[in-house]
Amino acid sequence: MGLFNIFSKEKKERLEQGLEKTKSSIFSRISKAVIGKSKVDDELLDNLEEILVTSDVGVETTVRIIERIQKRVAADKYIGTDELNRILKEEIAFLLLENTVEDFSDFSVPADKKPYVIMVVGVNGVGKTTTIGKLAYQFKKAGKSVLIGAADTFRAAAVDQIRIWAERVDVPIIMQSMGSDPASVAFDTVAAGISRGADVVIVDTAGRLHNKINLMNELSKIRKVMGKVIPDAPHEVLLVLDASTGQNAFEQAKQFTAATEVNALALTKLDGTAKGGVVIGISDQFRIPVKYIGVGEGVEDLQVFNRFEFVDSLFS
């Protein structure tokens, strides 16, 4: 199609390995639905709709995909799983292409934003700390100087966890004692980023429950404090979501985007779930880019998300 196969071979292999559980689940179920069918009829479309919804693609996105397939097969008969897989791949890719959100090809930041400030948000357990560590590694690998800020001061383990990651990837970190004002840590980190000439500043925040309004207000305070150091900081508010939670990830995305000015998403733990379809739904329904995906445990297994490579890997 000309849309696919732009990743390096190594990245492509990691992506396909990370999506194996989702791919196997969807493929096996589509195969069973197609057996004995000579054409794509209403019964097959109903089965396909159920497969996509239960793969956490989401109801709204699934309905759009089914409608597109109906138009494709209205005048023709498609026989066999291979044809249906090809149609699915193409229609999902075209659906996502219609979104105005850009795709990213590498770990880069705008040249006119120095330091480029990223505030990372998300509930406990989604892989936020790990994502920060891997992100710092990837930026450093790309030749950027990175500084991490440990502004999750509510849990004793949180500062230790982010410090361990900073040491692992050999990136400096700004810390204060447990119970310190998170906004103070954020202020110091951004200020240090300027004085040290850092290219990228990544600020961790507490793993807040998305239904706790007072904690959401704390995020607003952190944003305002950063803005006192650099007027347009943070440049990126990255919401980390656990893909394995399926529809709960949708709900967290809705709540966080309503409460904070999220402008980038990271979906983690794709390698451990058959619910990878959630990436398609979130990419389609939110006009906020899915910027990063986690496809494994290693530091190399955080990838820049590309819609076409993702769909190609899922249905190839």
Side-chain angles (χ1 to χ4, degrees), residues 184-251:
S184 174
V185 179
F187 181 94
D188 288 350
T189 304
V190 177
I194 294 175
S195 64
R196 299 183 188 190
D199 296 309
V200 183
V201 168
I202 307 173
V203 178
D204 187 20
T205 61
R208 308 167 192 285
L209 294 173
H210 57 279
N211 58 353
K212 301 293 185 180
I213 300 301
N214 59 321
L215 294 179
M216 286 301 193
N217 289 339
E218 184 68 31
L219 292 179
S220 296
K221 179 182 176 183
I222 293 173
R223 286 182 60 97
K224 290 177 182 177
V225 165
M226 289 181 180
K228 292 180 179 180
V229 186
I230 300 176
D232 57 348
H235 306 107
E236 183 174 307
V237 178
L238 179 66
L239 171 60
V240 180
L241 301 168
D242 179 350
S244 69
T245 63
Q247 290 303 300
N248 195 33
F250 274 94
E251 185 60 29

Side-chain angles (χ1 to χ4, degrees), residues 60 210 216 239 241 247-260 262 265 282 285-286 288:
E60 292 180 26
H210 57 279
M216 286 301 193
L239 171 60
L241 301 168
Q247 290 303 300
N248 195 33
F250 274 94
E251 185 60 29
Q252 289 176 25
K254 289 178 183 177
Q255 296 292 338
F256 269 99
T257 54
T260 64
V262 175
L265 301 171
I282 286 180
Q285 291 185 34
F286 294 91
I288 300 168

Side-chain angles (χ1 to χ4, degrees), residues 147-199:
L147 179 65
I148 293 174
D152 181 356
T153 59
F154 291 114
R155 292 185 304 122
V159 175
D160 286 339
Q161 289 168 353
I162 197 72
R163 176 184 55 79
I164 291 169
W165 263 106
E167 292 174 354
R168 179 180 177 185
V169 300
D170 194 24
V171 166
I173 184 171
I174 301 297
M175 301 180 295
Q176 293 183 16
S177 60
M178 179 188 170
S180 300
D181 181 7
S184 174
V185 179
F187 181 94
D188 288 350
T189 304
V190 177
I194 294 175
S195 64
R196 299 183 188 190
D199 296 309

Side-chain angles (χ1 to χ4, degrees), residues 76-151:
D76 301 296
K77 295 180 180 180
Y78 293 92
I79 303 172
T81 309
D82 290 343
E83 282 295 308
L84 186 57
N85 286 338
R86 181 178 62 80
I87 297 167
L88 260 177
K89 183 171 82 169
E90 291 177 358
E91 290 307 324
I92 290 174
F94 287 137
L95 177 70
L96 298 184
L97 179 62
E98 291 172 3
N99 294 341
T100 56
V101 174
E102 66 178 306
D103 271 320
F104 302 89
S105 59
D106 55 21
F107 289 88
S108 59
V109 294
D112 61 340
K113 307 289 185 184
K114 185 172 180 177
Y116 184 73
V117 181
I118 304 171
M119 183 172 83
V120 184
V121 301
V123 302
N124 286 328
V126 296
K128 184 164 55 69
T129 303
T130 300
T131 298
I132 291 171
K134 292 178 179 179
L135 197 56
Y137 168 83
Q138 293 285 9
F139 278 128
K140 184 180 177 183
K141 183 180 176 182
K144 306 294 182 185
S145 57
V146 184
L147 179 65
I148 293 174

